[in-house]
Amino acid sequence: GAVVSQHPSWVICKSGTSVKIECRSLDFQATTMFWYRQFPKQSLMLMATSNEGSKATYEQGVEKDKFLINHASLTLSTLTVTSAHPEDSSFYICSARGTSSGNTIYFGEGSWLTVV
Amino acid sequence: RKEVEQDPGPFNVPEGATVAFNCTYSNSASQSFFWYRQDCRKEPKLLMSVYSSGNEDGRFTAQLNRASQYISLLIRDSKLSDSATYLCVVNTRRNAGNMLTFGGGTRLMVKP
């Protein structure tokens, strides 16, 4: 079946640095990718929706200049957390949907970000 | 009001028990509905889709009531391995395309 791979699984970075998280669809073309954030004991919150070749659509309250999303190809989307701060520490998960997957949305394994 | 609401629990039940989770959603234009399971520190995984006619998969039964905007999940003969957080998920069409909205999750702990 379709697989979405996310990398890295864990990352620790210093405050003020930037971190890039990759989301790849391995056996289908992901026309749409979604980025979520989940704080401990809370639900997944959608950050942004990106369609291949277009600018991402950000949810209200999500700073687009801080969370840079690139979806330049049908198999790769990246989320860059710029100038990370401890309050950005969270679980970031991507999901993807393609024309061949119908309405099914597949999730990546998630990335744990800790900013120290 | 949250778009998708669930009782956070936790539900502590003995093995073999039957447990039911409820969920309500506020957007009447929502198109499709799901239950996802999320284990600690892992990504959510699709458990089952939810239909008005009901959907049964082994020990799991899901039901949708569109008139009441209410979704349920019933787990029979609970196993230790059922311990997880169960997320009620609603798919709504927007200009940017379909999007999933997650409830806060209901935590289940099955004990020996």
Side-chain angles (χ1 to χ4, degrees):
Chain A
V3 175
V4 175
S5 176
Q6 199 171 330
H7 177 80
S9 300
W10 300 82
V11 58
I12 301 173
C13 72
K14 289 185 178 180
S15 187
T17 61
S18 295
V19 174
K20 180 184 285 188
I21 301 170
E22 293 186 349
C23 180
R24 293 181 185 273
S25 58
L26 298 185
D27 58 0
F28 71 100
Q29 294 184 325
T31 50
T32 307
M33 284 190 170
F34 306 88
W35 286 96
Y36 293 85
R37 179 169 54 184
Q38 185 178 32
F39 292 108
K41 297 187 178 181
Q42 295 187 26
S43 188
L44 279 74
M45 297 300 297
L46 181 65
M47 298 175 68
T49 302
S50 75
N51 292 298
E52 186 266 337
S54 303
K55 287 186 178 180
T57 302
Y58 288 81
E59 295 299 304
Q60 192 172 11
V62 178
E63 299 173 60
K64 62 180 181 180
D65 294 330
K66 181 171 180 61
F67 299 98
L68 302 179
I69 292 172
N70 183 287
H71 190 172
S73 81
L74 285 170
T75 58
L76 174 65
S77 177
T78 60
L79 167 67
T80 301
V81 183
T82 62
S83 187
H85 290 284
E87 58 265 30
D88 298 324
S89 299
S90 185
F91 188 45
Y92 292 87
I93 310 177
C94 71
S95 66
R97 182 181 65 225
T99 51
S100 61
S101 72
N103 283 324
T104 303
I105 294 176
Y106 298 93
F107 282 86
E109 306 97 326
S111 300
W112 283 97
L113 170 64
T114 301
V115 185
V116 297
Chain B
R1 182 186 170 192
K2 291 182 183 177
E3 196 165 333
V4 181
E5 294 208 61
Q6 294 180 250
D7 179 346
F11 284 58
N12 295 298
V13 303
E15 266 187 296
T18 295
V19 61
F21 304 141
N22 302 320
C23 168
T24 57
Y25 61 96
S26 61
N27 189 340
S28 59
S30 299
Q31 298 178 314
S32 49
F33 310 88
F34 310 91
W35 283 101
Y36 276 73
R37 170 191 170 132
Q38 186 176 27
D39 292 290
C40 188
R41 294 177 173 264
K42 298 285 187 181
E43 76 278 18
K45 293 188 178 177
L46 179 63
L47 181 65
M48 59 198 309
S49 300
V50 190
Y51 308 113
S52 298
S53 56
N55 186 17
E56 184 172 325
D57 182 4
R59 297 181 293 110
F60 299 83
T61 301
Q63 188 73 50
L64 165 67
N65 184 321
R66 283 191 181 269
S68 303
Q69 295 181 197
Y70 173 91
I71 303 162
S72 65
L73 175 68
L74 183 75
I75 304 176
R76 291 180 295 278
D77 189 24
S78 299
K79 310 291 184 190
L80 295 176
S81 56
D82 293 334
S83 298
T85 297
Y86 291 83
L87 304 170
C88 175
V89 184
V90 173
N91 187 22
T92 306
R93 183 158 186 82
R94 299 195 312 178
N95 289 337
N98 291 333
M99 68 164 281
L100 296 180
T101 301
F102 287 78
T106 299
R107 190 172 171 209
L108 171 65
M109 297 180 68
V110 181
K111 304 195 172 181

